[in-house]
Amino acid sequence: MLNTASSAAENQGFAPALMRAVSRGTSDSTQLVSPEQRGYDLQQRTLARAVEFSGISVHSGLAARIFVAPAAADSGIVFITARHVRISAYVAHICFDPAGLCTVIGAGGDTVSTVEHLMAAFAACGIDNAEVTLEGAELPILDGSAQPFIDKMLDAGLVAQQQQRRFLRITRPFSYQGLDGQWVRFDPIRADEEGTLAVKIDFTAMIPAIGVQSLNMPIQLGALRSEIMHCRTFGLEAKRQEYQAYGRGLGASCANAVLYDGDRVLNKDGLRCDDESVRHKALDLIGDLFLAGWPLLGHISAFKPGHRTNAEALAALLESDCYTL
Ligand SMILES: [Zn+2]
């Protein structure tokens, strides 16, 4: 049986479907773990020490600085704003973003923008628990990929914690139909099988140089880091100017995005790989889906994924009976 859900344009919120049980562990070990394992192990992980990231924010254009610190088992990923509001990185906290250019979470009157690349970095490193303290309301964009986040966090080291990691296991097929032909689909895996990620994009109309690209890869920590996390966000130079008219993309440049002018790549060093665009869309999808609170076990496929559709698909999945936790 195929379960489906459809986008409702007026649905601007994401109903809390499954609130993560927050119970703080107190018996974390200090066992350093290798980031190079093939799959997920059973123990939760956090960082061995705090790290700092700073740089420009892609949408506000303001300077940003964040500190990513170790956190207790079972606490999850928590963002802490300048006013000390704690916002769990959870799908129920996603805020509607009219432009759909980034993923925004909010609680207690505060918001945190552009969380997706750091969330992807956590997912690809198998980091379950961390506290992210911000000085502003948006994360730094760094080079437009997740690679700088990953490099510094792996350099700091990861530690295994004593509590077991939980997994959101897909048990029945579930698909979500978004706007403009977009869809995201989740399928179960057998007990002896690894999950796969399949993403297809079609930019033929908007950016012919990107055209149609597709990607199919295993969902393994090492593969996520080697195959997609270095791929940068991208856009049209003309759109960048349009977004700036209403205060978005104010910090965007060739230093933190691949910019296209018609079919021409404006970045003087070109692309990092021929299909960098679909790989970045896969990175975004992994980051957005980590707002489930735990890794997904299943086959994930998507056509023209975008932040809004990703969030709506995840919220709809969590309201379905197509998974176990
Ligand atoms: Zn992105």
Side-chain angles (χ1 to χ4, degrees):
M1 176 183 164
L2 179 64
N3 291 267
T4 59
S6 293
S7 165
E10 69 282 5
N11 177 17
Q12 299 191 352
F14 299 94
L18 172 81
M19 292 309 297
R20 176 191 183 115
V22 176
S23 60
R24 291 187 165 275
T26 54
S27 54
D28 296 354
S29 75
T30 54
Q31 174 198 346
L32 277 166
V33 291
S34 162
E36 294 308 328
Q37 68 182 64
R38 187 173 155 85
Y40 290 103
D41 59 19
L42 293 179
Q43 286 174 285
Q44 294 179 34
R45 292 179 178 189
T46 190
L47 292 94
R49 61 176 171 82
V51 291
E52 173 187 334
F53 299 96
S54 58
I56 196 168
S57 291
V58 68
H59 293 302
S60 70
L62 300 172
R65 186 157 66 143
I66 63 170
F67 300 89
V68 183
D74 286 326
S75 60
I77 307 296
V78 179
F79 290 84
I80 304 169
T81 71
R83 295 193 309 138
H84 310 293
V85 175
R86 297 174 67 88
I87 307 174
S88 288
Y90 185 67
V91 63
H93 295 147
I94 295 176
C95 300
F96 177 68
D97 177 49
L101 295 175
C102 64
T103 298
V104 181
I105 58 173
D110 277 4
T111 60
V112 177
S113 295
T114 322
V115 299
E116 60 269 23
H117 299 167
L118 179 59
M119 291 303 294
F122 286 139
C125 293
I127 295 172
D128 305 276
N129 306 300
E131 283 190 348
V132 184
T133 305
L134 292 91
E135 292 184 345
E138 185 176 350
L139 272 63
I141 189 64
L142 306 179
D143 72 349
S145 79
Q147 197 65 51
F149 289 124
I150 289 173
D151 290 344
K152 197 176 270 190
M153 293 196 296
L154 292 187
D155 191 51
L158 307 179
V159 292
Q161 299 174 290
Q162 291 191 348
Q163 280 77 359
Q164 283 212 338
R165 171 178 287 141
R166 297 174 75 184
F167 294 93
L168 201 148
R169 176 180 284 277
I170 304 300
T171 53
R172 300 163 69 187
F174 181 87
S175 73
Y176 179 83
Q177 199 76 41
L179 299 170
D180 192 27
Q182 301 180 347
W183 53 259
V184 180
R185 183 180 162 112
F186 306 92
D187 285 289
I189 52 173
R190 296 189 312 267
D192 61 342
E193 197 181 19
E194 281 180 333
T196 55
L197 177 65
V199 178
K200 185 174 183 179
I201 60 173
D202 183 355
F203 277 85
T204 309
M206 190 195 293
I207 311 178
I210 294 176
V212 176
Q213 296 182 0
S214 56
L215 170 76
N216 204 323
M217 61 176 290
I219 303 179
Q220 301 166 355
L221 297 184
L224 292 176
R225 290 197 304 276
S226 63
E227 299 299 319
I228 60 177
M229 291 292 149
H230 62 295
C231 293
R232 295 162 295 174
T233 190
F234 59 92
L236 269 181
E237 171 62 11
K239 281 280 182 191
R240 183 180 73 92
Q241 293 168 8
E242 186 184 310
Y243 293 144
Q244 290 187 340
Y246 58 92
R248 290 304 186 109
L250 295 173
S253 74
C254 287
N256 52 44
V258 177
L259 291 178
Y260 287 88
D261 183 9
D263 262 2
R264 194 164 61 96
V265 174
L266 295 177
N267 305 59
K268 67 175 172 34
D269 294 331
L271 298 174
R272 292 182 176 173
C273 52
D274 288 345
D275 57 354
E276 187 168 358
S277 300
V278 72
R279 289 172 189 268
H280 184 79
K281 288 293 189 181
L283 177 165
D284 279 341
L285 180 60
I286 290 291
D288 287 340
L289 293 181
F290 198 43
L291 290 165
W294 298 104
L296 266 70
L297 288 182
H299 298 299
I300 301 167
S301 48
F303 179 59
K304 298 200 296 185
H307 295 302
R308 180 173 176 177
T309 299
N310 299 346
E312 289 176 344
L314 179 60
L317 171 70
L318 295 184
E319 287 185 336
S320 78
D321 58 355
C322 298
Y323 72 95
T324 58
L325 185 65

Coordinates of all heavy atoms in Angstrom, one line a residue, residues 101 116-117 141 144 231-234 280-281 283-284 307, ligand 1:
L101 N 14.1 29.7 0.5 CA 15.5 29.7 0.1 C 16.4 29.0 1.1 O 17.5 28.7 0.9 CB 16.0 31.2 0.0 CG 15.3 32.0 -1.2 CD1 15.8 33.4 -1.2 CD2 15.7 31.3 -2.5
E116 N 20.4 24.3 7.4 CA 20.5 23.0 6.7 C 21.9 22.5 6.4 O 22.1 21.3 6.5 CB 19.7 23.2 5.4 CG 20.2 24.2 4.4 CD 19.6 25.6 4.6 OE1 19.0 25.9 5.7 OE2 19.6 26.4 3.6
H117 N 22.8 23.3 6.2 CA 24.2 22.8 5.9 C 24.8 22.3 7.2 O 25.5 21.2 7.1 CB 25.0 23.8 5.2 CG 24.5 24.3 3.9 ND1 24.9 25.4 3.2 CD2 23.4 23.8 3.1 CE1 24.2 25.6 2.1 NE2 23.3 24.6 2.1
I141 N 27.5 31.2 6.2 CA 27.4 30.3 5.1 C 28.7 29.6 4.7 O 28.7 28.6 4.0 CB 26.8 31.1 3.8 CG1 26.4 30.2 2.7 CG2 27.7 32.2 3.4 CD1 25.3 29.2 3.0
G144 N 29.5 27.7 1.3 CA 28.2 27.3 0.6 C 28.0 25.8 0.6 O 27.0 25.4 0.1
C231 N 29.7 19.9 -1.9 CA 29.0 20.6 -3.1 C 28.3 21.8 -2.6 O 27.6 21.8 -1.6 CB 28.1 19.6 -3.8 SG 29.1 18.3 -4.5
R232 N 28.4 22.9 -3.4 CA 28.0 24.2 -2.9 C 26.6 24.5 -3.4 O 26.1 24.1 -4.4 CB 28.9 25.3 -3.4 CG 30.3 25.2 -2.9 CD 31.3 26.0 -3.7 NE 31.4 25.4 -5.0 CZ 32.1 25.9 -6.0 NH1 32.7 27.1 -5.9 NH2 32.2 25.3 -7.2
T233 N 25.9 25.4 -2.7 CA 24.7 26.0 -3.1 C 24.9 26.8 -4.4 O 26.0 27.1 -4.8 CB 24.0 26.8 -2.0 OG1 22.7 27.2 -2.3 CG2 24.8 28.1 -1.8
F234 N 23.8 27.0 -5.1 CA 23.9 27.6 -6.4 C 22.7 28.5 -6.7 O 21.7 28.4 -6.1 CB 24.1 26.6 -7.5 CG 22.9 25.6 -7.6 CD1 21.9 25.8 -8.4 CD2 22.9 24.5 -6.7 CE1 20.8 25.0 -8.5 CE2 21.8 23.6 -6.8 CZ 20.8 23.9 -7.6
H280 N 24.4 19.0 -4.3 CA 24.0 20.0 -3.2 C 22.6 19.8 -2.8 O 22.3 19.9 -1.6 CB 24.3 21.4 -3.6 CG 24.0 22.4 -2.5 ND1 24.9 22.5 -1.4 CD2 22.9 23.0 -2.1 CE1 24.4 23.3 -0.5 NE2 23.1 23.7 -0.9
K281 N 21.7 19.5 -3.7 CA 20.3 19.3 -3.4 C 20.2 18.1 -2.5 O 19.3 18.0 -1.6 CB 19.4 19.1 -4.6 CG 19.2 20.5 -5.4 CD 18.4 21.4 -4.6 CE 18.0 22.6 -5.4 NZ 17.1 23.6 -4.6
L283 N 22.5 17.1 -0.4 CA 23.1 17.6 0.9 C 21.9 18.3 1.7 O 21.7 18.1 2.8 CB 24.2 18.5 0.6 CG 24.9 19.3 1.7 CD1 26.3 19.8 1.2 CD2 24.2 20.4 2.4
D284 N 21.2 19.2 1.0 CA 20.1 19.9 1.6 C 19.1 19.0 2.1 O 18.5 19.2 3.2 CB 19.5 20.9 0.6 CG 20.2 22.2 0.4 OD1 21.0 22.6 1.3 OD2 20.0 22.9 -0.6
H307 N 13.6 23.1 0.2 CA 13.5 23.1 1.6 C 12.0 23.0 2.1 O 11.7 22.3 3.1 CB 14.1 24.4 2.2 CG 15.5 24.5 1.9 ND1 16.4 23.5 2.4 CD2 16.3 25.4 1.3 CE1 17.6 23.8 2.0 NE2 17.6 24.9 1.3
Ligands
ZN1 ZN 21.9 24.3 0.5

